[in-house]
Amino acid sequence: MPSGLASRASAVLEIDLGAIVGNSRLLSEKAAPAVCAAVVKADGYGLGATRVAAALHHAGCRRFYIATLDEGIALRTALGPAPEIAVFNGPLPGTSGEFAAARLIPVLNEPGQIDGWERAATAAPAIVHADTGLNRLGLSPAELAALAPRLRALTPRLMIGHLACADEPEHGHNTLQRERFLTARGHLPGVAAGLAASSGIFLGPQYHFDEVRPGAALYGVNPCPGRPNPMRPVVRLTAKILQLRQIDSGESVGYGAAHVMGEPGMLATAAIGYADGWPRSLSHRGCGWIAGKRVPLLGRVSMDLATFDVSAAEPAALYPGSAIELIGEHHGVDDVARDAGTIGYEILTSFGSRFHRVYREPAT
Ligand SMILES: Cc1ncc(COP(=O)(O)O)c(C=O)c1O
């Protein structure tokens, strides 16, 4: 970051594109011979779809998944004509023509989307989504059976399914969904198939089929909860200290006077709040790190600010403008999510627009 920006930045989000590419390689090796696509919806899980997809495309990724038509058009504009871009939500009524114009591959989830795609009368490829027990998007087994002849006539590029419990390897729903997926495939013989997202890749080769499509694991979220994280960390988040104050026992901290000091301490107020995606649910529970020392978050997180008890930190590291590490080597994105009572996906996709973003390019 240029030095002017470095001094102006209230909070800095560092995004390691090399780690994302490394994670994609690790997942590709795990899933081989299945091909590894990349899910970059929700602006690349909050990290910047354009930058993430460009790095992965350069590294050889040939198919990207996003959720909406607008995301697809933006990514097509950024990446140019080469990569395949598939849209999970499929076409809303009347939008099939826009899909074709931007060379987006619709995921056809329900009978009306199939009608619309047929009416668009395009030779462009589509992906068929079989719902095998998530009961969210996708054709039910009965719909798939009834529509199979028309679907075969569309010569789909791929059939996908999506697992509900892939992060729980022992869950019986995984085998049930796999069996239903095998039945669904029988309706479209010769069509390639993909069932696994991040966690599904770690369920074993019987879940890999022809393509896997990870999202969260690319961004460093642990696809194997409860076990060591095989992925490289991708983000580091720091916020600057704005003010320091020595405070007496019995004084309260923040809105609602919700934290009362049990003993005297040193407080640091840092430039990060829930408007930045630092969840309010971290009130009384979150923490930061200063030169390897844990500093607990005190009281409530407010819109732009959070207050930490920095009594344990080296005094030399405490001055306005010095940084508190909020996500990093001591405390990863899954740790923050656990503190906040949520999942890493929500932490990443909630990041606000005020962070100064620093991208670390992959080594060439
Ligand atoms: C249909 C579908 N496939 C793949 C993914 C990627 O999942 P993950 O981020 O767990 O890898 C998602 C994400 O929600 C999804 O909805």
Side-chain angles (χ1 to χ4, degrees), residues 79-348:
L79 292 185
E84 292 192 359
I85 301 174
V87 182
F88 279 135
N89 289 1
L92 284 166
T95 62
S96 289
E98 289 178 77
F99 273 71
R103 293 192 46 255
L104 301 176
I105 303 179
V107 175
L108 301 176
N109 296 298
E110 59 92 39
Q113 292 185 341
I114 295 162
D115 295 342
W117 196 245
E118 285 174 337
R119 273 198 304 278
T122 161
I127 291 175
V128 174
H129 186 178
D131 192 329
T132 58
L134 184 59
N135 286 311
R136 192 177 68 167
L137 285 179
L139 297 164
S140 70
E143 287 168 336
L144 192 62
L147 292 165
R150 285 167 57 193
L151 290 172
R152 284 196 289 270
L154 289 175
T155 55
R157 176 68 44 99
L158 186 74
M159 171 186 270
I160 64 166
H162 194 42
L163 297 168
C165 306
D167 57 347
E168 298 173 63
E170 306 307 325
H171 203 297
H173 213 62
N174 293 318
T175 44
L176 173 77
Q177 285 198 267
R178 183 176 171 276
E179 279 158 23
R180 288 185 182 167
F181 191 63
L182 291 172
T183 306
R185 285 198 78 187
H187 293 295
L188 299 181
V191 174
L195 182 61
S198 297
S199 297
I201 295 170
F202 293 85
L203 291 177
Q206 67 277 31
Y207 286 85
H208 293 164
F209 295 93
D210 302 298
E211 180 190 87
V212 297
R213 37 170 219 287
L218 293 175
Y219 309 105
V221 173
N222 188 357
C224 311
R227 287 181 279 160
N229 189 351
M231 313 315 301
R232 279 171 64 182
V234 168
V235 294
R236 182 167 185 270
L237 176 64
T238 53
K240 298 243 180 87
I241 293 176
L242 299 173
Q243 183 169 336
L244 291 148
R245 150 194 326 271
Q246 183 71 41
I247 188 170
D248 288 337
S249 162
E251 285 288 321
S252 67
V253 181
Y255 282 129
H259 178 84
V260 177
M261 299 295 286
E263 52 191 69
M266 177 66 86
L267 297 188
T269 300
I272 189 137
Y274 58 77
D276 300 298
W278 192 244
R280 192 165 180 274
S281 57
L282 286 173
S283 301
H284 308 289
R285 298 161 64 174
C287 69
W289 296 79
I290 298 176
K293 292 270 175 12
R294 184 178 184 278
V295 293
L297 194 157
L298 296 188
R300 295 183 188 164
V301 175
S302 55
M303 187 181 292
D304 318 302
L305 302 167
T307 302
F308 297 82
D309 180 348
V310 295
S311 309
E314 290 297 326
L318 299 176
Y319 51 91
S322 72
I324 299 188
E325 184 181 277
L326 300 172
I327 301 177
E329 58 170 321
H330 300 101
H331 213 57
V333 69
D334 292 304
D335 298 315
V336 173
R338 191 195 53 237
D339 292 347
T342 184
I343 52 176
Y345 297 65
E346 193 176 30
I347 297 295
L348 294 180

